[in-house]
Amino acid sequence: MPIRIPDGLPARETLVREGVQVLDESIATRQDIRPMQIGLLNLMPNKIETEAQIARLVGATPLQVELTLVRIGSHVARNTSEEHLISFYHTWDEVKDRKFDGFIITGAPVERLPFEDVSYWDELKQIFDWTETHVHSSFFICWGAMAAVQHFHGVPKHELKEKAFGVYRNHNRKPESPFLTGFSDDFSVSVSRWTDVRREDIPEDSGLSILMESDETGLCLLHEAHGNRLYIFNHIEYDSTSLGAEYQRDVAEGKSIKVPANYFPDDDPTQTPKNRWRSHAFLLFGNWINQMYQTTSYNLEDIGTERGGDSKVRQAK
């Protein structure tokens, strides 16, 4: 089954070109099934690029998925047109009465700021609390993951001496986890961050389980069974060219930045990088959606009243 996205969303052309099945809203409304409801709170500056990255991954499933784009209402985006936001996004205040099977919160270019200095921190804390009652399973990415694990468990972030930037090998710490079904024993993940979360700061009674970890860049993926949450501190969703674009941007702005590690062939920025994390990105999101499907409530309105519910959603009357 295809992913259902708003009519006219720019990401549609990219997804169709890549072979992802896309279902426009006007067609989806005529199908008598209950699609999986997934919300995306997009905090990244290039929202159109992130929309395509996430839609590509959640659309690679036999289930029909309806993706709802959400933005912070108290923050004015500087890198995305107001027309695009008005056409395709809802503020959190507009969707806060809805229930979602899954909810994704992305990273944001504010990681070097103390959490409380982020202009929309108060609203984001409300959203974190809201996910406990209105979302069956949450998936937090990069800074979004650091912010969430701090909010729910008081785990601090630490500023690095230099940016963790490149493609790094990670270890599969829990092969038995359903979220890592099909994963290799070690695999590559795209990394781009100035801060990290450390193993020794995780409270023993937090219920947080380490699923992925790198010798070089530390923690990558945590799972919390009680809250039904995944926290990934790296950018497994990135396109093949994302790290290169960030590098070229910083060079053009005169910033001191190293060539992303293990990314360009022979560390030569004139060469085309090879994507070594794509297959595991699809696996991770596919496993997450499969687990969500198996455990979410039969009726959307039951989400938040109990964890588990019926074992599957309604696919037809």
Side-chain angles (χ1 to χ4, degrees):
M1 294 295 289
I3 182 173
R4 174 177 171 178
I5 58 176
D7 290 345
L9 188 71
R12 184 186 193 283
E13 184 177 331
T14 300
L15 298 174
V16 170
R17 189 167 58 246
E18 295 177 0
V20 177
Q21 295 187 62
V22 177
L23 193 64
D24 289 333
E25 283 186 318
S26 55
I27 297 175
T29 53
R30 300 200 297 267
Q31 294 191 344
D32 190 20
I33 62 176
R34 175 352 208 144
M36 298 288 288
Q37 297 291 326
I38 295 181
L40 170 62
L41 179 63
N42 191 352
L43 304 176
M44 292 292 280
N46 190 331
K47 290 186 169 27
I48 294 175
E49 181 179 89
T50 303
E51 293 157 12
Q53 291 169 353
I54 299 298
R56 175 188 300 123
L57 297 173
V58 301
T61 168
L63 304 174
Q64 186 189 129
V65 174
E66 180 176 349
L67 186 64
T68 299
L69 302 177
V70 184
R71 63 185 175 95
I72 293 285
S74 58
H75 177 70
V76 178
R78 293 180 296 175
N79 298 284
T80 305
S81 72
E82 188 68 17
E83 180 183 2
H84 182 83
L85 295 175
I86 291 173
S87 297
F88 301 113
Y89 278 77
H90 304 272
T91 63
W92 170 66
D93 194 59
E94 292 170 339
V95 302
K96 67 182 182 181
D97 292 330
R98 290 177 53 184
K99 299 289 183 77
F100 290 88
D101 298 296
F103 202 78
I104 301 166
I105 298 181
T106 71
V110 293
E111 58 185 319
R112 301 178 85 173
L113 288 175
F115 291 120
E116 60 273 14
D117 288 349
V118 175
S119 62
Y120 49 81
W121 181 240
D122 288 341
E123 183 173 355
L124 187 58
K125 289 193 297 181
Q126 293 180 56
I127 295 173
F128 286 146
D129 291 337
W130 166 85
T131 63
E132 296 194 274
T133 56
H134 287 71
V135 175
H136 177 65
S137 182
S138 299
F139 198 148
F140 306 111
I141 300 173
C142 201
W143 181 83
M146 295 181 193
V149 80
Q150 193 280 333
H151 178 76
F152 290 119
H153 299 287
V155 177
K157 63 181 174 70
H158 301 271
E159 187 158 352
L160 300 171
K161 293 181 179 179
E162 61 180 37
K163 187 177 185 178
F165 190 40
V167 181
Y168 294 92
R169 293 179 67 179
N170 276 259
H171 303 290
N172 183 342
R173 297 299 192 199
K174 294 277 185 177
E176 69 277 13
S177 168
F179 297 103
L180 299 184
T181 298
F183 268 69
S184 307
D185 292 334
D186 63 55
F187 42 88
S188 297
V189 176
S190 177
V191 181
S192 179
R193 50 180 166 80
W194 280 100
T195 54
D196 69 357
V197 168
R198 298 173 183 171
R199 171 190 275 264
E200 58 266 27
D201 291 329
I202 297 177
E204 291 186 5
D205 61 350
S206 66
L208 293 167
S209 176
I210 299 172
L211 303 190
M212 299 180 187
E213 190 175 23
S214 169
D215 293 336
E216 298 169 282
T217 56
L219 296 176
C220 178
L221 180 67
L222 305 179
H223 173 235
E224 181 185 358
H226 172 72
N228 211 359
R229 306 179 184 111
L230 284 176
Y231 308 80
I232 188 165
F233 303 111
N234 300 320
H235 284 290
I236 202 168
E237 83 285 1
Y238 264 10
D239 293 326
S240 303
T241 57
S242 297
L243 292 178
E246 290 184 9
Y247 172 73
Q248 298 295 346
R249 176 202 64 200
D250 289 350
V251 168
E253 294 176 358
K255 296 180 179 179
S256 177
I257 186 71
K258 290 184 178 180
V259 172
N262 314 309
Y263 178 63
F264 293 113
D266 301 321
D267 289 332
D268 180 356
T270 66
Q271 296 195 44
T272 302
K274 293 183 179 179
N275 191 311
R276 302 196 305 280
W277 61 92
R278 181 188 297 115
S279 59
H280 286 95
F282 278 101
L283 269 176
L284 180 59
F285 274 79
N287 290 340
W288 175 59
I289 291 173
N290 181 51
Q291 281 301 111
M292 193 191 319
Y293 173 78
Q294 297 296 329
T295 59
T296 194
S297 296
Y298 182 89
N299 296 307
L300 264 178
E301 289 309 308
D302 291 338
I303 289 174
T305 61
E306 60 180 354
R307 290 236 175 240
D310 290 324
S311 62
K312 59 182 179 179
V313 297
R314 173 172 61 87
Q315 290 298 301
K317 287 184 178 180

